[in-house]
Amino acid sequence: MQKRIGTACIGAAAVIPCLAAAETGSAAAAGAAPPVIWLIAPLGAIAALIFAWRFYRSMKRSSEGTDRMREIASYVRTGARAYLTQQYKVVSVCFVVAALFFVLLSFVLKVQSRWVPFAFLTGGFFSGLCGFIGMKTATHASARTANAARQSLNGALQVAFRSGAVMGLVVVGLGLLDICIWFHVLNAVMGLTLVETTVTMLCFGMGASTQALFARVGGGIFTKAADVGADLVGKIEAGIPEDDPRNPAAIADNVGDNVGDVAGMGADLYESYCGSILATAALGVAAFAAEPAIRINSVVLPMIIAGAGIFLSILGIFFVRSGERATQRELLRALDRGINLSTIGIAVVSLLLVRWLLPGHAGIWGSIVIGLAAGWLIGKSTEYFTSQDHSPTRFVAAQSVTGSATVIIEGMALGMLSTMPPVVTISVATLFAFVFAGGFSHPEMGLYGVGLAAVGMLSTLGITLATDAYGPIADNAGGNAEMSGLEPHVRERTDALDSLGNTTAATGKGFAIGSAALTALALLAAYIEEVRIGLVRVAAQTADGLVRIGEKTFRVAEIQTADLAFFMDTFEINLINPKVLVGMLLGSMMAFVFCALSMKAVGRAARRMVEEVRRQFKEIPGIMEGKTPPDYAACVDISTRGAQREMMPPSLGAILVPILVGLTLGVPGVMGLLAGALATGFVLAVMMANAGGSWDNAKKYIEGGHHGGKGSASHKAGVVGDTVGDPFKDTAGPSLNILIKLMSMVSVVVAGLVVKYAPVVGAFLHMR
Amino acid sequence: MQKRIGTACIGAAAVIPCLAAAETGSAAAAGAAPPVIWLIAPLGAIAALIFAWRFYRSMKRSSEGTDRMREIASYVRTGARAYLTQQYKVVSVCFVVAALFFVLLSFVLKVQSRWVPFAFLTGGFFSGLCGFIGMKTATHASARTANAARQSLNGALQVAFRSGAVMGLVVVGLGLLDICIWFHVLNAVMGLTLVETTVTMLCFGMGASTQALFARVGGGIFTKAADVGADLVGKIEAGIPEDDPRNPAAIADNVGDNVGDVAGMGADLYESYCGSILATAALGVAAFAAEPAIRINSVVLPMIIAGAGIFLSILGIFFVRSGERATQRELLRALDRGINLSTIGIAVVSLLLVRWLLPGHAGIWGSIVIGLAAGWLIGKSTEYFTSQDHSPTRFVAAQSVTGSATVIIEGMALGMLSTMPPVVTISVATLFAFVFAGGFSHPEMGLYGVGLAAVGMLSTLGITLATDAYGPIADNAGGNAEMSGLEPHVRERTDALDSLGNTTAATGKGFAIGSAALTALALLAAYIEEVRIGLVRVAAQTADGLVRIGEKTFRVAEIQTADLAFFMDTFEINLINPKVLVGMLLGSMMAFVFCALSMKAVGRAARRMVEEVRRQFKEIPGIMEGKTPPDYAACVDISTRGAQREMMPPSLGAILVPILVGLTLGVPGVMGLLAGALATGFVLAVMMANAGGSWDNAKKYIEGGHHGGKGSASHKAGVVGDTVGDPFKDTAGPSLNILIKLMSMVSVVVAGLVVKYAPVVGAFLHMR
């Protein structure tokens, strides 16, 4: 035991001040690293926002096209705004309730820092602001992209891609800015210790997580309800083409693309981005406890890497251009050029940063690079399994000859098999990020390396998210072109962009899933830091100022300086503790139940949409002749209300289960829960995303004239696969990323509560 | 540290003899418990075999009916024998290879007891014998059941149920007999210590696991390939009814029911049955280290409970009878009466046994009872989700109105949601089995309690397996009646029995899945006992006789008397060790990949079957007019060869992955792998079984005249669901049970190898 706990603090009765004594102290006092480098982080954030603003202005200056185009665009914009307003109302209520709960935890029960409620609120606010800006940009950009497509493919790419870049840069800019401001306020202005600063800031991630959950789940339900309603009644029953203005759900369908793919994806990655930086910062404090001179550098390193990544992303964005008569292949190469430039740039820059800020720890650079490489590899494997250019998806398409059942079975099998490369990649990346950072001789350092791998993977998010967000803009531009009755070549060009977007979206999904897994791994370790602080806080409220874990008693100073292994051994967070194993089973179950709830929610919302579309076709005269416009707003409203109503049960589950498990099974149960949810949720998310993506592209492959082409029995079987895949890939699958991270975040935030009350509940249940 | 390691053994250099010194010694020397009670175990095993023989003889004495009926039955019998012969050939080769590998481990590398290769072989041999007897009985019984159904429903039930009971009793009889013989030989005759006896016997489970894997996966592929081939070409393309003798795949389809549902299910439960008893025995040695007087009783208690369970099962079987004119409901009540009698009986008897054999540990009785209750509850929840009498499956059926895609989505969602009751049940059962046994003050005792919960759940297997195995016999009887052209009321009666079987099969599935999860949990802890022995063995081969774990060094006596927490801490088997986390991710992935491989295997085998059936229809003249009999044997052969060929990749994966993970990531990686596979595999297995069961019954519900009835568009949508569900519920889902247990067993068997060589491999990979 002696080995594991450092030198005890003299005067352990003075509980909280002692925390400071064991610390490097505040930033102002440290002065070890030249603050000029630190400025890369806030400057990067500000640069991101400035360029986002520039791209937004330049997009707004281009023409929105004909009156009809403007009209359609304004419908979509109004619908999107209506959805967002409604969503933010619901979210605000939830946030107020949650903030009050945190006020209770912080000021009444005193198990948390009093900064937590505020950190929580700003995290949520900035995440919501990202969604708002991204959506506003996307809805303004679609008609302009369509209009640019009337001239050239490259022109359309420029408008769509720069608008996507607004989303990418706003996400990284606001995320990093919020982190920099809080770090400055808590550490330099308020003089909190590094430990307290970083664990308080982690709670900021909880706000972003909650916002992301609502955005992903709500957006996912909205978009699929509208999609299914538009397809089932419009295309199949009424026999009118996709995006036909006579379809009452057509606008809702277009709104859905923005809501789900732009706002949802943005919120998801905002959360991973902030979560990975904050978790790594917290792990840095633990890892560099013995090196006070550079301890604070380890905390700011993830922020600086993120800042440098932003500058390189902006540079990369400017490199995405090609000739006026570019082919699709050339456009793809242009996108790749931009991303590759940023990636190689950050690899080089981070080597310099590591050598400068963390002398003697050059190996940590390897952790960052392996994170970058892992993100790229997962993207490639997603592309391999879901693209119609490769054999797996073509094989799914070939099954359509024997009917829809074989398409479904083969797609499921493909999805399950496709989990292998991402899992192996993340496994290898985790192990080597740990090894490169020297984890097997110093586990805290290794975990810091794992956190930095996530930061590395996400450092070029500014540009990778841009290549992801422009897809739905191109999709919407196509919808606008269709509904405005533009020439066929415009639609062809937007379709080319859209299909290009599908390829790059594979990379984006790889980043989303891979970074969620790595971030969750880092959060698992960061959770222990919260537990440590929670124990100290609880001890401060007792008469003897001692810390109790089970039957054992410790001095506060022992807890403050104990290493992670001490907590693992003392709390028995091992694989024969039934609390851990039961937690794992429950975590695994949560992933499946969460998927079930969101899929059922889509079903219910879609049924209401189907009824509404049918009603309009029946009750509004002249709708099929195109004389009377349908009531688009009613459909948007149904999707909106459906999404709001249906997102509550799964969201509440994700928030309440970690609290309940924490109170009944304590810290070991929570760790088990998070590990189980991570292991199952990650694999299930990959399976659902890839099965769905493959069914989608198998249908497109058949429509391309294979196995009988459009209208054949094979095509019908392909459509069944695509319909099954929709909730898989757009609702349930992506929501799992959030589930994993949100459950971790909730656990982090309520760690103090669990530490204080789990022993009480356990005694009541005779579990101790 | 001192607390965790007991008093050191004097003269630690004498490595192996010291093991004995720390032990109670052999049974002959102990003499603490009256051996008369012990006899319940072998006598129960012998009674099971005697009654199995009686039931078999009495079944054989009844008439097989008309010549045509005999002919059809002989086709099925020949097909089944052909399959089994072929399977056992392949299995024998695999067993010889594996046994040679174990000889290498035991005699050359000396990391295992020299008894392991033999224990492995008998485990496999007895499991194979069960499959052979069960299959022989089932294929003899089907025509006789059909013949009895010409007279009365109850008569048919008696024949089918007693024949199912042969399977149930043979499984428990041979399983327990093998255990008793080995225990006597190793402990009493050879004089091995209790620790060595129990850990060697665990390896016996590996043979049963391997056999079970081949039976489940091979059987699952066989049955579904035949089923799909018969349905797709026969029913849909040629338009002839189910079980029509003109269908070349009809016999293969009937053989498949025996192969998959009788032999596969039997081997699965044989494995759980033996695995739970052996793991519990091993855990008993660790739990009662401080109470030498009753230590041996803790080892034999699971065997005695199993023996008592057999007597009560036999009693229960005799209570399954009803009036000659019984309705279906009355028959169900008769079955329930038998099961309830056995269940209540074993609850009472085990109280007496615990009080007698383990005085002062009455709480352990609670662990046994909670296992019994958990098995029952999981069965009920399976029934609720999959029966057409309840709303979930009716809701799936209702989705057929909007097409096959909505049926698939709703079925998937139902499957995912249905994981909640079994997971919560197993979680609560695990925690309370642990608590009742006093686990929070003595973890080893708690884990022994978890093992006993599994033993309790499986103690009435003799009768529960009978209610499960009679279903396919009734199904085959229906096929025989159809092909022999018997009167319609015969088919109606066998259909009634079959549908009754579907209800009781739900309970059987609950037992299979629940017991697999509990057994795997117990094996996780038992694995550490193997590691302990492995460490001692490796130390005996070193010059200084010391045990090395990582950088630390221990004396052999310390390892021999250390508690489980010592191993958790020293090996760092905790949730921040990346080896554990990566192991978990890989385990989770294994469950999905294994499902993917088996589903793809079904697809390939089914495609070959489709081609063969099409060929026969085209090339054999007069086949459709019923003038020329089709070539049944060719179809059986295709299914057989397909099953043999396709079962190898998933099986090899299941065997090799634990070895590879063990050698690269060591003991922590293995524990993570097993825990991840358990958490994900259990939940995924429930999902696939229930989704498949629900689709099956939703189709039947539609066929019952709902939503348009047979031949409607709804029915077509329902058929798609059923077809997708077939590989879910009959191939991939049940195979996951085996995957979980087999990976645990492989890890147990190669523990010595891993302990010796993982440090070498780790050093090479720079992971230490």
Side-chain angles (χ1 to χ4, degrees):
Chain A
M1 216 61 103
Q2 280 79 350
K3 258 201 214 157
R4 287 189 173 162
I5 298 187
T7 326
C9 205
I10 300 152
V15 177
I16 292 295
C18 177
L19 206 58
E23 291 287 323
T24 319
S26 71
V36 165
I37 292 212
W38 291 21
L39 287 179
I40 291 178
L43 288 180
I46 292 164
L49 296 177
I50 291 172
F51 277 91
W53 174 247
R54 265 196 57 179
F55 292 149
Y56 179 75
R57 292 304 309 163
S58 97
M59 178 272 289
K60 277 295 284 286
R61 269 197 302 274
S62 62
S63 161
E64 217 174 351
T66 66
D67 284 349
R68 178 69 183 152
M69 288 167 77
R70 279 167 209 271
E71 190 194 341
I72 297 290
S74 85
Y75 284 139
V76 174
R77 208 147 51 225
T78 315
R81 200 179 304 132
Y83 170 76
L84 225 56
T85 312
Q86 178 61 27
Q87 163 136 326
Y88 286 167
K89 268 187 209 156
V90 175
V91 169
S92 302
V93 173
C94 296
F95 267 77
V96 169
V97 173
L100 287 177
F101 175 64
F102 292 140
V103 166
L104 172 83
L105 296 189
S106 298
F107 294 95
V108 182
L109 302 177
K110 299 206 169 98
V111 291
Q112 263 181 355
S113 157
R114 62 210 153 94
W115 294 100
V116 168
F118 307 103
F120 170 74
L121 286 177
T122 62
F125 176 77
F126 277 105
S127 172
L129 192 59
C130 285
F132 176 78
I133 295 173
M135 189 98 118
K136 195 176 165 76
T137 310
T139 52
H140 276 296
S142 58
R144 291 177 170 87
T145 303
N147 194 46
R150 294 164 82 186
Q151 311 305 324
S152 76
L153 185 57
N154 184 46
L157 172 71
Q158 288 301 325
V159 175
F161 179 68
R162 293 287 169 92
S163 308
V166 174
M167 182 74 193
L169 291 173
V170 165
V171 162
V172 294
L174 285 182
L176 189 56
L177 191 65
D178 195 10
I179 291 174
C180 290
I181 291 174
W182 272 108
F183 183 72
H184 185 72
V185 168
L186 294 179
N187 190 250
V189 179
M190 305 305 302
L192 261 63
T193 63
L194 270 185
V195 170
E196 282 223 313
T197 305
T198 52
V199 296
T200 305
M201 283 171 69
L202 258 182
C203 300
F204 154 119
M206 162 88 192
S209 283
T210 312
Q211 186 73 258
L213 182 79
F214 287 137
R216 262 292 197 206
V217 179
I221 295 170
F222 185 107
T223 184
K224 287 305 123 186
D227 194 10
V228 171
D231 283 5
L232 219 59
V233 189
K235 276 210 288 202
I236 298 175
E237 289 182 14
I240 53 179
E242 175 126 20
D243 289 329
D244 192 291
R246 291 170 295 175
N247 193 331
I251 294 292
D253 193 9
N254 276 281
V255 171
D257 291 341
N258 290 298
V259 161
D261 295 346
V262 178
M265 175 67 105
D268 185 353
L269 285 162
Y270 179 86
E271 215 256 284
S272 282
Y273 190 73
C274 296
S276 64
I277 295 173
L278 296 170
T280 310
L283 293 170
V285 177
F288 287 82
E291 296 173 80
I294 54 170
R295 197 183 195 189
I296 197 160
N297 287 354
S298 76
V299 173
V300 293
L301 179 64
M303 304 174 203
I304 297 176
I305 291 174
I310 290 178
F311 284 115
L312 288 159
S313 294
I314 295 172
L315 198 69
I317 289 168
F318 279 102
F319 268 74
V320 178
R321 53 172 72 234
S322 62
E324 271 311 302
R325 318 209 140 272
T327 61
Q328 204 178 334
R329 183 178 295 269
E330 283 163 353
L331 289 181
L332 187 59
R333 223 177 294 142
L335 287 175
D336 273 350
R337 197 162 50 229
I339 295 181
N340 291 344
L341 181 89
S342 309
T343 309
I344 295 168
I346 197 70
V348 173
V349 169
S350 58
L351 176 60
L352 302 175
L353 290 173
V354 169
R355 289 178 70 103
W356 197 340
L357 291 169
L358 302 178
H361 295 278
I364 281 179
W365 179 65
S367 308
I368 300 171
V369 171
I370 205 155
L372 275 167
W376 183 83
L377 262 174
I378 295 177
K380 285 291 147 196
S381 108
T382 309
E383 195 191 319
Y384 172 73
F385 278 103
T386 60
S387 154
Q388 39 171 306
D389 297 338
H390 299 283
S391 58
T393 290
R394 290 194 177 185
F395 191 65
V396 172
Q399 301 310 309
S400 65
V401 177
T402 39
S404 45
T406 40
V407 170
I408 300 290
I409 294 175
E410 188 55 41
M412 287 288 300
L414 173 142
M416 289 176 157
L417 202 60
S418 76
T419 61
M420 215 196 290
V423 171
V424 171
T425 303
I426 288 292
S427 297
V428 171
T430 304
L431 281 175
F432 281 91
F434 192 85
V435 169
F436 287 150
F440 283 113
S441 51
H442 186 173
E444 283 75 8
M445 199 64 90
L447 292 166
Y448 179 66
V450 174
L452 277 179
V455 171
M457 187 187 275
L458 288 166
S459 58
T460 55
L461 186 64
I463 186 163
T464 49
L465 188 52
T467 60
D468 210 13
Y470 97 91
I473 295 173
D475 194 1
N476 259 272
N480 190 298
E482 190 80 31
M483 286 190 269
S484 320
L486 295 185
E487 306 84 342
H489 76 264
V490 178
R491 176 81 205 209
E492 273 162 32
R493 283 178 185 156
T494 59
D495 276 356
L497 282 184
D498 188 16
S499 115
L500 191 64
N502 281 342
T503 309
T504 54
T507 324
K509 268 187 191 137
F511 272 85
I513 294 179
S515 64
L518 277 182
T519 304
L521 276 173
L523 282 171
L524 207 56
Y527 172 66
I528 293 298
E529 296 304 318
E530 292 282 347
V531 169
R532 183 202 304 265
I533 295 293
L535 288 169
V536 172
R537 234 171 252 289
V538 171
Q541 298 166 35
T542 58
D544 54 8
L546 290 174
V547 177
R548 275 168 200 82
I549 301 175
E551 326 254 285
K552 304 190 192 93
T553 311
F554 303 92
R555 279 174 301 148
V556 165
E558 286 178 311
I559 296 297
Q560 281 166 345
T561 52
D563 64 10
L564 287 175
F566 163 81
F567 291 97
M568 294 295 123
D569 296 355
T570 312
F571 276 109
E572 295 174 13
I573 306 176
N574 58 50
L575 289 186
I576 56 154
N577 184 345
K579 291 182 179 178
V580 172
L581 294 169
V582 163
M584 280 179 60
L585 283 177
L586 293 175
S588 193
M589 178 200 83
M590 275 300 287
F592 280 88
V593 169
F594 189 77
C595 278
L597 290 179
S598 57
M599 278 162 65
K600 277 176 155 301
V602 169
R604 275 189 298 267
R607 270 192 292 281
R608 281 194 286 269
M609 181 64 84
V610 165
E611 281 161 23
E612 170 64 19
V613 176
R614 280 188 188 146
R615 185 194 67 78
Q616 290 200 21
F617 274 129
K618 212 169 65 185
E619 295 179 8
I620 303 180
I623 195 169
M624 277 303 282
E625 297 75 38
K627 284 179 196 155
T628 329
D631 185 357
Y632 298 131
C635 288
V636 171
D637 191 48
I638 285 202
S639 249
T640 301
R641 277 188 291 120
Q644 304 308 325
R645 194 187 311 171
E646 300 289 353
M647 75 184 178
M648 292 313 287
S651 307
L652 274 179
I655 292 170
L656 291 181
V657 166
I659 301 181
L660 291 176
V661 168
L663 288 176
T664 49
L665 302 178
V667 174
V670 171
M671 290 284 284
L673 179 77
L674 300 183
L678 167 60
T680 304
F682 172 44
V683 183
L684 188 58
V686 173
M687 186 278 263
M688 298 194 95
N690 288 358
S694 175
W695 279 319
D696 187 356
N697 285 324
K699 185 197 72 174
K700 285 188 182 144
Y701 184 71
I702 297 169
E703 283 172 353
H706 303 272
H707 308 298
K710 240 177 174 165
S712 64
S714 299
H715 185 229
K716 282 208 185 88
V719 169
V720 170
D722 184 37
T723 313
V724 171
D726 268 347
F728 271 48
K729 73 179 197 303
D730 294 326
T731 313
S735 303
L736 281 171
N737 292 345
I738 316 268
L739 177 80
I740 300 170
K741 289 178 290 176
L742 178 64
M743 295 217 310
S744 306
M745 279 294 177
V746 173
S747 305
V748 159
V749 171
V750 301
L753 182 78
V754 165
V755 162
K756 187 168 179 182
Y757 292 100
V760 182
V761 178
F764 178 74
L765 293 174
H766 302 284
M767 298 234 291
R768 188 77 239 173
Chain B
M1 217 60 102
Q2 281 79 350
K3 261 201 213 158
R4 292 195 170 154
I5 299 188
T7 328
C9 205
I10 299 151
V15 177
I16 292 294
C18 178
L19 205 59
E23 291 287 324
T24 320
S26 72
V36 165
I37 292 214
W38 292 20
L39 287 180
I40 292 179
L43 289 181
I46 291 162
L49 296 177
I50 291 172
F51 277 92
W53 175 248
R54 267 198 55 181
F55 291 149
Y56 178 75
R57 293 302 312 160
S58 97
M59 179 271 290
K60 277 296 284 287
R61 269 196 301 275
S62 62
S63 160
E64 219 175 350
T66 66
D67 285 348
R68 177 72 182 148
M69 287 169 77
R70 280 165 208 270
E71 188 193 345
I72 297 289
S74 84
Y75 284 142
V76 175
R77 207 148 48 228
T78 313
R81 199 177 307 131
Y83 170 76
L84 225 55
T85 311
Q86 178 61 24
Q87 163 135 323
Y88 286 165
K89 269 188 208 154
V90 175
V91 169
S92 303
V93 174
C94 296
F95 266 78
V96 169
V97 173
L100 287 176
F101 175 64
F102 292 141
V103 167
L104 173 82
L105 296 189
S106 299
F107 293 94
V108 182
L109 302 178
K110 299 205 169 98
V111 291
Q112 261 180 355
S113 156
R114 62 211 154 94
W115 293 100
V116 169
F118 307 102
F120 170 75
L121 286 177
T122 62
F125 176 76
F126 277 104
S127 171
L129 192 58
C130 284
F132 177 76
I133 295 173
M135 191 99 118
K136 194 176 167 75
T137 310
T139 51
H140 276 296
S142 58
R144 292 178 168 87
T145 302
N147 194 45
R150 294 164 82 184
Q151 312 305 326
S152 78
L153 186 58
N154 186 45
L157 173 71
Q158 289 301 328
V159 176
F161 180 68
R162 293 287 169 92
S163 308
V166 174
M167 182 75 193
L169 291 173
V170 164
V171 163
V172 296
L174 285 182
L176 190 55
L177 191 66
D178 194 12
I179 292 175
C180 291
I181 292 175
W182 271 108
F183 183 72
H184 184 73
V185 168
L186 294 179
N187 190 250
V189 179
M190 305 305 302
L192 262 63
T193 64
L194 270 186
V195 170
E196 281 222 313
T197 305
T198 52
V199 296
T200 305
M201 283 171 69
L202 258 181
C203 301
F204 152 120
M206 163 90 193
S209 283
T210 312
Q211 186 70 262
L213 183 79
F214 288 134
R216 263 292 197 204
V217 179
I221 295 170
F222 185 107
T223 182
K224 287 304 123 186
D227 194 10
V228 171
D231 283 5
L232 218 61
V233 189
K235 277 211 289 200
I236 297 176
E237 290 182 14
I240 52 179
E242 176 124 20
D243 289 328
D244 192 290
R246 290 170 295 175
N247 193 333
I251 293 292
D253 193 7
N254 276 283
V255 170
D257 291 339
N258 290 300
V259 161
D261 295 346
V262 178
M265 175 68 105
D268 184 352
L269 285 162
Y270 178 87
E271 214 256 283
S272 282
Y273 190 74
C274 297
S276 65
I277 295 172
L278 296 170
T280 310
L283 292 171
V285 177
F288 287 82
E291 295 174 80
I294 55 172
R295 197 184 196 187
I296 199 161
N297 287 355
S298 74
V299 174
V300 293
L301 178 64
M303 303 173 204
I304 297 176
I305 291 176
I310 289 177
F311 285 114
L312 288 159
S313 293
I314 296 170
L315 198 67
I317 288 167
F318 279 101
F319 268 75
V320 178
R321 53 173 72 235
S322 60
E324 272 308 303
R325 317 209 141 269
T327 63
Q328 201 177 336
R329 184 178 295 269
E330 284 163 354
L331 289 181
L332 187 60
R333 225 177 293 142
L335 286 174
D336 272 350
R337 199 164 48 231
I339 294 182
N340 291 343
L341 181 89
S342 310
T343 308
I344 295 168
I346 196 70
V348 174
V349 169
S350 57
L351 176 61
L352 302 175
L353 290 173
V354 169
R355 288 178 71 103
W356 195 342
L357 290 170
L358 302 177
H361 294 278
I364 281 178
W365 179 65
S367 309
I368 300 170
V369 171
I370 206 155
L372 275 168
W376 182 85
L377 261 173
I378 295 176
K380 285 291 149 195
S381 109
T382 310
E383 196 191 321
Y384 171 73
F385 278 102
T386 59
S387 153
Q388 38 173 306
D389 297 336
H390 299 286
S391 59
T393 290
R394 291 194 176 185
F395 192 66
V396 172
Q399 302 310 308
S400 64
V401 176
T402 39
S404 46
T406 41
V407 170
I408 299 292
I409 294 176
E410 189 55 42
M412 287 287 300
L414 173 142
M416 289 178 159
L417 203 60
S418 75
T419 61
M420 216 196 290
V423 171
V424 171
T425 304
I426 287 295
S427 297
V428 171
T430 304
L431 280 175
F432 282 90
F434 191 82
V435 168
F436 287 149
F440 284 115
S441 51
H442 186 172
E444 283 76 8
M445 199 63 88
L447 292 166
Y448 180 66
V450 174
L452 276 180
V455 171
M457 188 186 275
L458 289 166
S459 59
T460 56
L461 186 64
I463 185 164
T464 48
L465 188 52
T467 60
D468 210 14
Y470 96 91
I473 294 174
D475 194 3
N476 259 274
N480 191 298
E482 190 79 32
M483 285 190 269
S484 318
L486 294 187
E487 306 84 342
H489 76 263
V490 178
R491 176 82 203 206
E492 273 162 32
R493 283 179 185 156
T494 59
D495 276 356
L497 281 184
D498 187 18
S499 117
L500 192 64
N502 281 341
T503 309
T504 53
T507 323
K509 269 188 189 138
F511 272 85
I513 294 180
S515 64
L518 277 182
T519 305
L521 275 172
L523 283 171
L524 207 55
Y527 172 64
I528 294 297
E529 296 303 318
E530 292 283 346
V531 169
R532 184 202 304 268
I533 295 293
L535 289 169
V536 172
R537 234 170 252 288
V538 171
Q541 298 167 35
T542 59
D544 54 7
L546 291 174
V547 177
R548 276 169 199 82
I549 302 175
E551 325 255 287
K552 304 191 192 93
T553 311
F554 303 91
R555 279 173 301 147
V556 165
E558 286 178 310
I559 296 297
Q560 280 166 344
T561 52
D563 63 8
L564 287 175
F566 164 82
F567 291 97
M568 294 295 124
D569 297 354
T570 313
F571 276 109
E572 296 174 14
I573 306 176
N574 58 49
L575 289 187
I576 54 155
N577 184 345
K579 289 181 179 177
V580 172
L581 294 169
V582 164
M584 281 180 60
L585 283 177
L586 293 174
S588 191
M589 178 201 84
M590 275 301 287
F592 279 88
V593 169
F594 188 78
C595 277
L597 292 179
S598 57
M599 278 163 65
K600 277 175 153 307
V602 169
R604 275 190 298 266
R607 270 192 292 281
R608 281 192 288 267
M609 181 64 83
V610 165
E611 281 161 24
E612 171 63 20
V613 176
R614 281 189 187 145
R615 185 194 67 77
Q616 290 200 19
F617 273 129
K618 211 170 67 186
E619 294 180 8
I620 304 180
I623 193 171
M624 276 302 281
E625 296 76 37
K627 284 179 198 155
T628 329
D631 184 358
Y632 298 132
C635 288
V636 171
D637 190 50
I638 285 203
S639 250
T640 301
R641 278 190 289 122
Q644 304 310 324
R645 192 187 313 172
E646 300 290 352
M647 76 185 179
M648 292 313 287
S651 307
L652 273 179
I655 293 170
L656 292 181
V657 167
I659 302 180
L660 290 177
V661 168
L663 288 176
T664 50
L665 301 178
V667 175
V670 171
M671 290 284 283
L673 179 78
L674 300 184
L678 167 60
T680 303
F682 172 43
V683 183
L684 188 59
V686 174
M687 188 277 264
M688 298 193 95
N690 288 358
S694 174
W695 279 318
D696 187 354
N697 285 324
K699 184 197 73 174
K700 286 187 181 145
Y701 184 70
I702 296 168
E703 284 172 352
H706 302 274
H707 307 299
K710 241 178 173 165
S712 66
S714 299
H715 185 226
K716 283 207 184 90
V719 170
V720 170
D722 184 37
T723 312
V724 171
D726 268 348
F728 271 48
K729 72 177 197 304
D730 294 326
T731 313
S735 302
L736 281 172
N737 293 346
I738 316 267
L739 176 79
I740 300 171
K741 289 178 289 177
L742 178 64
M743 296 217 311
S744 307
M745 279 295 176
V746 173
S747 305
V748 159
V749 171
V750 300
L753 183 78
V754 165
V755 163
K756 187 167 181 185
Y757 291 102
V760 182
V761 178
F764 179 73
L765 294 174
H766 301 284
M767 299 233 291
R768 187 81 239 173

